Amino acid sequence: MDTVFRDARVIDGSGGPSYRADVALAGGRIAAIAREGEPRLTARRTVEAQGLALSPGFIDMHAHSDLALLRDPAHTAKAAQGVTLEVIGQDGLSYAPVDDRTLAAVRAQIAGWNGGSPEDASVEFTWRTVGEYLDRLDHGFAGEGIAVNAAYLVPQGTLRALAVGWEDRPATPAETERMKRLVAEGLAEGAVGLSSGLTYTPGMYATDAELTELCRVVAAYGGYYCPHHRSYGKGALAAYEEMIALTRRAGCALHLAHATMNFGVNEGRAPELLAVLDAALAAGADISLDTYPYTPGCTTLAAMLPSWAGEGGPEAVLARLRDDATAERIRYAMETEGADGCHGVPIDWEAIEVSGVTDPALASSHVGRTIAGAARERGEEPWTTARRLLIADRLGTAILQHVGHEENVRTIMRHRVHTGGSDGILHGAKPHPRAYGTFPHYLGRYVRELGVLSLEECVAHLTSRPAARLRLPDRGLVRVGNRADLVLFDPETVAAGATFEAPRTLPTGIPYVLIAGRFVMEDGRRTDVLAGRAVRRTARP
């Protein structure tokens, strides 16, 4: 045996009662488990685990580390939380498959999520296909790998940019067939499913018929569809129902991304969402969801614009913002009508806090301020401030949107198909603390302090449930033969250090994290181990 954890409190990920045991590792897998009273296990290295809980590694079902994994070898934001696998390629926008033209536009559009603007040379974009991107993750830094494992979703918005462009129109039959081929190629090369961002251009221009055709391909490969659906505000319930009906027609598994009920129109309405889910599950639907344990959301300021303003891509958006008459139409749509980019709800500039900018010169005057607050300092209207910032930062501004409700967060996280996802944007001077704190926040705040979930149940939400959705039979449970992706944490002290004031603070109470039996975190410190690899779906039609 390589390593044995002696006298650990094993929380095996099943949701069942914990138990005392020695757990031994060999060759990157769990080699033996000796429960209390059975003969002790021995190994070359012994870690005394009294008082510590041993669980499977946490799986972040909604991550935005697409470039961070290639930019930062330590990636401590996730490794220190006990995350051993992230699912990237989210919200329908990522960097594969692309051609040169599409890559440049996508880089500009989601610079507020990931950095990586066309002017950013910190990552060399040597890939174009999904398979090439996954190979790049495998090689990571100096051929050694990356900090944690990563699975990839084919991004539907990127596909549409590649096959259709940035036009607001239905795809032609030939364009739909090209997108279907691209989905099939991505899944054959190892992607685990398809994502959409249906409040983001150009993915939001897709019809249900078009999405259904793509989901049929996903179903044939045994993958799942992960939509950021068309509304989390005024039309939230209808948007959830739309995705359920669409995937039922396609025969495709559905995973609802950051499944929240936000804005004032949805306060206290989480039970209505769960009733819709329960009815669909009872009728045989295959559904799961993820949430983060916080109330504010996080996206880009440009995402708040109406969809018609996004037609044509980033340069067309900037041209519209520079034109006074068109900018006034945009303002009216956002402030009075409720733009689809803001989920059909008139925007509240007091709720929009700038969390990051692409241009460092804009940071001191905007980051950490709400748009309304920055406008007051300048003696101008909020839209004037927002418009100027969008243009100056070339749409790269990231925001926090303070529109959530605590009772909805707690109600949804109790559901039997719930999993954990950080939706963590790591870019920016003042990111959302969920990027550094989601998983310890679940364990410390919602388990130990509030008792919303039991410890065993919460660990199941963060481990075996996501592993089952990803169809990874050797992960997510502490079982002999499974991969030794493991976390040792202290249930009495585990907590998120990250706050809205200090969002990059690391958690406490997680001294050991292992991937493939190798210590990624040891005694609470990041090692130099790069044991992460791309996790590929291997199913074929």
Side-chain angles (χ1 to χ4, degrees):
M1 305 293 184
D2 300 321
T3 305
V4 62
F5 295 100
R6 183 158 328 274
D7 196 27
R9 178 186 174 186
V10 177
I11 303 174
D12 67 5
S14 69
S18 61
Y19 58 88
R20 292 281 178 182
D22 295 351
V23 178
L25 317 179
R29 292 187 178 267
I30 299 171
I33 300 173
R35 296 200 180 213
E36 192 172 23
E38 297 176 351
R40 291 287 195 183
L41 300 177
T42 59
R44 282 184 287 275
R45 176 178 179 181
T46 298
V47 176
E48 298 294 340
Q50 291 96 333
L52 297 179
L54 175 69
S55 82
F58 305 137
I59 298 176
D60 188 342
M61 286 296 287
H62 193 103
H64 287 283
S65 301
D66 307 47
L67 298 184
L69 284 163
L70 297 173
R71 183 185 291 120
D72 175 16
H75 198 43
T76 311
K78 293 302 180 69
Q81 292 185 63
V83 171
T84 57
L85 170 60
E86 299 183 275
V87 185
I88 56 178
Q90 299 285 353
D91 295 329
L93 290 164
S94 190
Y95 307 99
V98 291
D99 57 16
D100 292 349
R101 172 187 59 84
T102 303
L103 176 60
V106 169
R107 288 181 66 178
Q109 184 177 10
I110 57 175
W113 290 356
N114 303 322
S117 67
E119 298 78 25
D120 183 350
S122 62
V123 174
E124 186 177 359
F125 289 80
T126 56
W127 65 88
R128 292 297 181 269
T129 69
V130 170
E132 289 169 351
Y133 175 64
L134 297 179
D135 288 344
R136 179 72 179 85
L137 293 175
D138 274 341
H139 291 99
F141 298 89
E144 290 188 60
I146 49 180
V148 305
N149 297 308
Y152 189 71
L153 294 164
V154 178
Q156 172 260 331
T158 302
L159 295 186
R160 206 170 204 276
L162 189 58
V164 182
W166 299 78
E167 301 172 38
D168 183 0
R169 63 169 176 81
T172 66
E175 289 165 344
T176 300
E177 286 303 314
R178 186 183 179 197
M179 286 187 283
K180 289 168 66 176
R181 288 195 299 271
L182 289 168
V183 172
E185 289 169 6
L187 291 165
E189 291 165 358
V192 296
L194 175 74
S195 76
S196 282
L198 300 179
T199 64
Y200 301 128
T201 58
M204 69 192 308
Y205 301 142
T207 64
D208 280 7
E210 177 184 319
L211 295 171
T212 300
E213 286 299 302
L214 301 185
C215 283
R216 288 194 172 108
V217 178
V218 176
Y221 280 81
Y224 68 93
Y225 180 44
C226 180
H228 164 127
H229 52 272
R230 297 192 193 274
S231 177
Y232 290 83
K234 184 177 180 181
L237 281 179
Y240 283 113
E241 290 169 341
E242 176 193 11
M243 294 297 101
I244 291 169
L246 185 156
T247 49
R248 292 298 301 276
R249 288 194 299 273
C252 184
L254 172 64
H255 181 84
L256 296 165
H258 38 60
T260 56
M261 293 287 286
N262 287 338
F263 303 91
V265 294
N266 289 318
E267 186 172 1
R269 297 186 67 191
E272 296 177 52
L273 167 61
L274 300 187
V276 169
L277 293 180
D278 287 337
L281 291 164
D286 182 359
I287 303 174
S288 56
L289 60 86
D290 66 67
T291 70
Y292 47 83
Y294 299 88
T295 52
C298 181
T299 185
T300 63
L301 183 58
M304 299 291 100
L305 301 174
S307 58
W308 58 262
E311 187 174 5
E315 291 305 319
V317 177
L318 289 167
R320 291 186 182 101
L321 288 167
R322 292 187 184 107
D323 179 76
D324 289 343
T326 307
E328 174 57 22
R329 286 182 59 209
I330 293 172
R331 182 204 65 76
Y332 184 81
M334 295 176 71
E335 294 185 351
T336 303
E337 295 178 329
D340 47 7
C342 194
H343 309 275
V345 178
I347 196 162
D348 176 5
W349 294 114
E350 295 284 2
I352 305 297
E353 178 186 353
V354 176
S355 61
V357 289
T358 300
D359 183 351
L362 299 168
S364 62
S365 57
H366 291 87
V367 173
R369 293 173 171 83
T370 65
I371 294 293
R376 281 192 293 272
E377 291 178 6
R378 291 166 175 75
E380 60 191 18
E381 292 299 312
W383 168 242
T384 303
T385 300
R387 177 189 176 193
R388 182 186 296 115
L389 180 57
L390 284 163
I391 294 170
D393 207 27
R394 295 191 58 79
L395 311 181
T397 304
I399 61 168
L400 304 182
Q401 193 172 18
H402 297 270
V403 293
H405 305 285
E406 179 66 21
E407 72 276 15
N408 285 349
V409 170
R410 297 187 194 187
T411 298
I412 294 169
M413 75 169 63
R414 293 187 182 101
H415 197 270
R416 65 187 185 279
V417 300
H418 170 266
T419 67
S422 71
D423 196 12
I425 292 175
L426 298 163
H427 176 67
K430 195 170 180 278
H432 197 302
R434 67 193 185 193
Y436 282 73
T438 286
F439 294 87
H441 200 49
Y442 267 119
L443 297 168
R445 176 66 172 161
Y446 288 92
V447 171
R448 185 179 63 247
E449 295 178 9
L450 299 177
V452 175
L453 297 169
S454 71
L455 184 57
E456 289 82 0
E457 183 182 10
C458 185
V459 168
H461 288 218
L462 308 181
T463 59
S464 64
R465 287 188 190 176
R469 167 52 72 215
L470 294 167
R471 297 190 178 180
L472 300 174
D474 61 351
R475 302 174 197 256
L477 291 167
V478 178
R479 294 283 190 273
V480 172
N482 276 12
R483 292 178 180 270
D485 294 355
L486 300 167
V487 181
L488 250 77
F489 64 92
D490 185 346
E492 299 303 317
T493 63
V494 63
T499 64
F500 287 98
E501 293 71 32
R504 297 186 186 275
T505 307
L506 296 180
T508 57
I510 306 179
Y512 298 101
V513 181
L514 296 90
I515 295 178
R518 301 172 66 192
F519 286 84
V520 174
M521 296 291 296
E522 188 168 4
D523 295 324
R525 294 185 295 274
R526 180 71 172 93
T527 69
D528 61 0
V529 167
L530 295 168
R533 300 291 184 272
V535 175
R536 291 169 167 83
R537 169 70 51 78
T538 57
R540 295 289 185 270

